[in-house]
Amino acid sequence: MDNMIKKGEECLLHTYNRFPVVFDKAEGVKLYDINGKEYLDFFSGIAVMALGYCHPEYTKRLHEQLDKLTHISNYFYNEPAITAAEKFVKASGMDRVFFTNSGAEAIEGALKMARRYSYDKYGEGRTDVIAVNHSFHGRTMGAVSVTGTEAYRKPFGQMLGGITFAEYNNLDSVKALISDKTCAIILETLQGEGGIHVAEKEFLEGIRAICDEKDIVMILDEVQCGMGRTGKYFAYQHYDILPDIMTSAKGIGNGMPVGAFACKEQFAALVAGDHGSTYGGNPMVTAAINAVFDIYEKEDVLKNVTEVGDYLYNELEKLASENELIVDHRGIGLMQGIELKTEVKKIVGDALDNGLVLISAGNNVIRFLPALIISKEDVDNMISILKKVLA
Ligand SMILES: *Cc1c(COP(=O)(O)O)cnc(C)c1O
């Protein structure tokens, strides 16, 4: 393992401080490194592996598609993309969708569409976007422009113009930034990288009301919190609102690189020639989306998220009440986090040594993003390793 890591460090760009493990294969919620050591996974490749690893039906469906047609340009139609679009708009309450290759690209598309909508109605210059602090929307230039962590933006010079940052769950701070040039407001329904912060009802519904009043496009980023992770298909379905444009990725492909941005009909401003993607929505990745949706229905995955999510919530509440290192516990469904008094980097590393894969958010939050098919027993096993590591 050490040799392989050394080789990797010689030729991979060092954009991650990687943990010293080389993973080789996986099944369900178990991962195995190249020495055969077993790990319980509560990381899911950053909330991607919704159905766990090597789900038999998912694998079978992808094999079938691999033998039929993997790629064809968007200059033609393909059946998996049309079926996936139909399922996606139904589950999200949107009317139209564009498939991308990643979450960041979904954000790029959403921003372009919001600006195009405003341009059609109000002409040039109404292009400003309000984002929020501690948000995360991806690493491309547009997506990083609306990401609320200065360190991610500063080394890269000029960002998209007209972006300002409000405070999450502070409606007045949003109102204070609105001008006659404001075109869109973008935020995560439930902040992931920023440390698992849930939008308050008054905040989200307040933003909806402002957007309606001033014809501002409301964009909700559901890349991490969507696709069932909170027990509903999309996290905004816990509230009494719909966004105008929403983004998705991570869980929708269960490991195939695919994202999406979708909108209500009146915001479908992008027209032929405005936007495109060579791979976007190709038959291979959209076959993955279709398999994911079908398996969710067949196995009642959303119900499992609610049940096991509640169980995880109670177990973490118990742990938090017993352990003085834990200062807060937040989240919905299978997207939860505990905030600690100390940095969590060493704890996450120790957990890994003890066969548990966890993920941090910022310096002092541990996130729990397991596969959506986990059992209560998996939660018990995770808690027992975590207790040992915290002790
Ligand atoms: C991960 C993430 C993104 C970026 O997705 P990529 O596929 O890494 O480009 C955007 N928004 C949110 C909320 C995310 O968690």
Side-chain angles (χ1 to χ4, degrees):
M1 192 130 82
D2 288 347
N3 280 339
M4 195 172 286
I5 291 170
K6 193 164 160 276
K7 231 192 302 179
E9 281 304 323
E10 278 165 17
C11 54
L12 289 166
L13 199 61
H14 192 102
T15 50
Y16 286 89
N17 288 317
R18 293 176 166 87
F19 288 99
V21 183
V22 183
F23 284 119
D24 182 42
K25 57 179 188 173
E27 200 182 341
V29 295
K30 296 284 166 60
L31 278 161
Y32 300 88
D33 69 21
I34 55 172
N35 296 331
K37 180 177 162 184
E38 184 184 290
Y39 300 79
L40 173 61
D41 182 31
F42 266 66
F43 185 123
S44 308
I46 322 186
V48 167
M49 302 306 292
L51 299 172
Y53 301 96
C54 301
H55 186 289
E57 170 148 4
Y58 174 85
T59 304
K60 179 172 153 272
R61 296 269 295 264
L62 263 64
H63 278 156
E64 284 166 8
Q65 190 60 46
L66 194 55
D67 286 336
K68 265 174 93 178
L69 180 68
T70 54
H71 178 77
I72 185 81
S73 150
N74 284 312
Y75 281 103
F76 307 97
Y77 296 94
N78 72 82
E79 189 275 326
I82 294 168
T83 307
E86 208 177 10
K87 289 179 199 244
F88 191 90
V89 296
K90 182 159 173 266
S92 62
M94 297 288 108
D95 295 316
R96 292 183 184 276
V97 60
F98 182 102
F99 293 116
T100 66
N101 311 291
S102 67
E105 281 172 81
I107 299 293
E108 299 290 339
L111 292 173
K112 275 180 77 177
M113 194 150 69
R115 282 187 166 186
R116 179 66 155 126
Y117 169 82
S118 189
Y119 177 83
D120 287 349
K121 263 181 118 168
Y122 303 99
E124 277 179 36
R126 190 179 178 273
T127 53
D128 289 3
V129 177
I130 299 171
V132 294
N133 287 323
H134 308 296
S135 61
F136 183 83
H137 298 293
R139 302 298 200 149
T140 55
M141 287 303 259
V144 84
S145 292
V146 289
T147 287
T149 302
E150 209 198 354
Y152 293 173
R153 302 191 306 264
K154 200 169 179 193
F156 306 103
Q158 190 78 59
M159 295 280 118
L160 278 188
I163 315 280
T164 50
F165 294 91
E167 289 298 322
Y168 199 70
N169 280 333
N170 180 339
L171 196 58
D172 288 336
S173 76
V174 176
K175 284 182 183 161
L177 295 175
I178 289 174
S179 76
D180 54 8
K181 285 171 74 183
T182 306
C183 139
I185 299 176
I186 183 168
L187 69 156
E188 292 151 89
T189 319
L190 199 173
Q191 286 190 327
E193 307 293 318
I196 310 290
H197 295 284
V198 183
E200 285 161 14
K201 199 171 155 60
E202 304 74 50
F203 179 62
L204 215 57
E205 294 179 3
I207 290 180
R208 181 64 277 174
I210 296 169
C211 288
D212 286 340
E213 187 194 327
K214 301 193 182 287
D215 199 17
I216 293 168
V217 182
M218 180 173 182
I219 305 172
L220 286 179
D221 181 352
E222 292 258 345
V223 168
Q224 189 165 149
C225 62
M227 205 53 195
R229 186 142 291 276
T230 65
K232 301 215 186 251
Y233 266 114
F234 294 97
Y236 54 75
Q237 290 161 344
H238 291 282
Y239 304 79
D240 240 355
I241 59 141
L242 272 183
D244 301 319
I245 300 177
M246 55 81 70
T247 59
S248 181
K250 293 198 166 96
I252 58 169
N254 194 57
M256 280 287 127
V258 59
F261 64 96
C263 64
K264 295 300 289 176
E265 186 67 41
Q266 74 181 105
F267 298 92
L270 293 171
V271 296
D274 275 355
H275 198 62
S277 169
T278 299
Y279 298 130
N282 84 16
M284 200 64 221
V285 298
T286 44
I289 295 179
N290 288 326
V292 171
F293 272 116
D294 291 347
I295 295 165
Y296 272 42
E297 294 298 320
K298 211 160 151 186
E299 299 185 4
D300 215 343
V301 168
L302 299 184
K303 185 162 159 250
N304 191 62
V305 173
T306 303
E307 279 178 15
V308 182
D310 286 350
Y311 186 73
L312 173 65
Y313 198 90
N314 290 332
E315 290 304 302
L316 288 174
E317 282 292 290
K318 268 192 250 167
L319 184 67
S321 70
E322 289 161 11
N323 193 302
E324 59 166 31
L325 279 176
I326 303 169
V327 294
D328 199 11
H329 166 220
R330 305 181 283 267
I332 314 178
L334 292 173
M335 184 166 179
Q336 298 186 36
I338 50 173
E339 186 175 327
L340 275 75
K341 261 187 216 163
T342 59
E343 291 210 347
V344 298
K345 197 167 176 238
K346 182 170 182 321
I347 297 166
V348 171
D350 288 350
L352 197 61
D353 291 340
N354 283 277
L356 171 65
V357 191
L358 291 173
I359 175 169
S360 60
N363 288 331
N364 53 359
V365 174
I366 296 175
R367 264 185 292 178
F368 303 90
L369 302 171
L372 306 185
I373 49 121
I374 57 157
S375 65
K376 291 177 183 170
E377 198 191 337
D378 296 323
V379 172
D380 291 340
N381 292 336
M382 181 280 287
I383 293 280
S384 96
I385 302 174
L386 182 60
K387 267 186 183 162
K388 184 175 146 197
V389 171
L390 286 172

